[in-house]
């Protein structure tokens, strides 16, 4: 507290001013102390908040790093799975095309064998029909020749019988 030199004579107003001055000085000093205490308390709270924030940030950074690593592993796994599925899809597509072409080839071979078998059967049937026609024609010719011979023999016999009958009539 700063003391103002006191005159030897003190009047009641000077005493009152002095008292008020001291009181004002005490109040200012008290306010400054209170401001300092508040500032220190606020600074202490800010420091605690900063420390808590720093701890929270560190914990959050750790969590986020862990989550980031997990997400990255999942993305890598998904990418690997996607690539393997694409490879499998390509392989299955190639296998399917191979099977389709194999089946198409087998069907063409079967069709060709069927046509060949039908042609053989048709040829065999035509040959049999031709040989039967030849046989029938031969039999017809033999029958016609046999009939002609019988007719000749009968005609000759009739001619002889007729001559014999004419010779007997005469």
């Amino acid at each position: 507290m700063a003391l103002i030199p006191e005159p030897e004579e003190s009047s009641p107003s000077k005493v009152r001013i002095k008292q008020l001055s001291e009181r004002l000085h005490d109040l200012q000093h008290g306010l400054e102390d209170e401001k300092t205490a508040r500032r220190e308390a606020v600074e202490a709270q800010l420091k605690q908040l900063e420390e808590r924030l720093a701890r929270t940030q560190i914990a959050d950074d750790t969590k986020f790093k862990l989550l980031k690593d997990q997400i990255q592993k999942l993305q890598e796994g998904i990418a690997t799975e996607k690539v393997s599925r694409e490879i499998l899809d390509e392989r299955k597509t190639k296998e399917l095309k191979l099977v389709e072409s194999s089946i198409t080839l087998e069907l063409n071979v079967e069709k060709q064998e069927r046509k060949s078998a039908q042609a053989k059967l048709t040829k065999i049937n035509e040959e049999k029909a031709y040989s039967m026609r030849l046989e029938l024609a031969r039999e017809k010719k033999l029958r016609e020749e046999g009939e002609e011979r019988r007719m000749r023999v009968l005609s000759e016999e009739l001619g002889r019988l007729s001559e014999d009958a004419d010779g007997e009539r005469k």
Side-chain angles (χ1 to χ4, degrees), residues 48-61:
Q48 285 177 347
L49 284 174
E50 286 175 353
E51 288 174 359
R52 208 176 337 159
L53 180 64
R55 284 192 306 266
T56 304
Q57 271 186 320
I58 291 170
D60 286 348
D61 287 346

Side-chain angles (χ1 to χ4, degrees), residues 99-113:
V99 167
E100 285 176 350
S101 65
S102 174
I103 288 174
T104 302
L105 182 63
E106 287 178 14
L107 279 173
N108 288 337
V109 168
E110 288 293 324
K111 284 179 183 178
Q112 189 61 37
E113 287 177 358

Side-chain angles (χ1 to χ4, degrees), residues 65-166:
K65 185 176 185 222
L66 180 64
L67 287 173
K68 181 182 175 185
D69 290 343
Q70 288 176 346
I71 289 171
Q72 186 177 5
K73 286 178 184 176
L74 283 173
Q75 287 174 335
E76 289 171 359
I78 288 170
T80 303
E81 184 69 25
K82 182 180 177 184
V83 168
S84 68
R85 283 186 180 259
E86 288 173 355
I87 290 170
L88 180 66
D89 184 47
E90 288 176 16
R91 190 178 320 138
K92 291 300 177 181
T93 301
K94 286 178 183 178
E95 286 178 14
L96 183 62
K97 286 180 181 180
L98 183 64
V99 167
E100 285 176 350
S101 65
S102 174
I103 288 174
T104 302
L105 182 63
E106 287 178 14
L107 279 173
N108 288 337
V109 168
E110 288 293 324
K111 284 179 183 178
Q112 189 61 37
E113 287 177 358
R114 182 175 171 212
K115 283 181 181 180
S116 177
Q118 282 180 337
K120 285 180 184 177
L121 285 174
T122 302
K123 184 177 178 183
I124 290 171
N125 285 339
E126 287 176 357
E127 286 175 355
K128 279 195 174 194
Y130 180 72
S131 71
M132 288 179 141
R133 275 190 234 117
L134 285 178
E135 185 66 31
L136 285 173
R138 229 185 347 243
E139 285 180 13
K140 181 180 176 186
K141 187 176 180 185
L142 287 175
R143 218 177 28 247
E144 286 175 352
E145 287 175 358
E147 282 180 22
E148 280 181 27
R149 268 185 272 138
R150 273 187 239 128
M151 288 293 267
R152 254 184 294 146
V153 169
L154 283 176
S155 160
E156 286 175 5
E157 246 183 75
L158 263 174
R160 244 186 292 137
L161 283 174
S162 166
E163 282 177 14
D164 283 348
D166 279 345

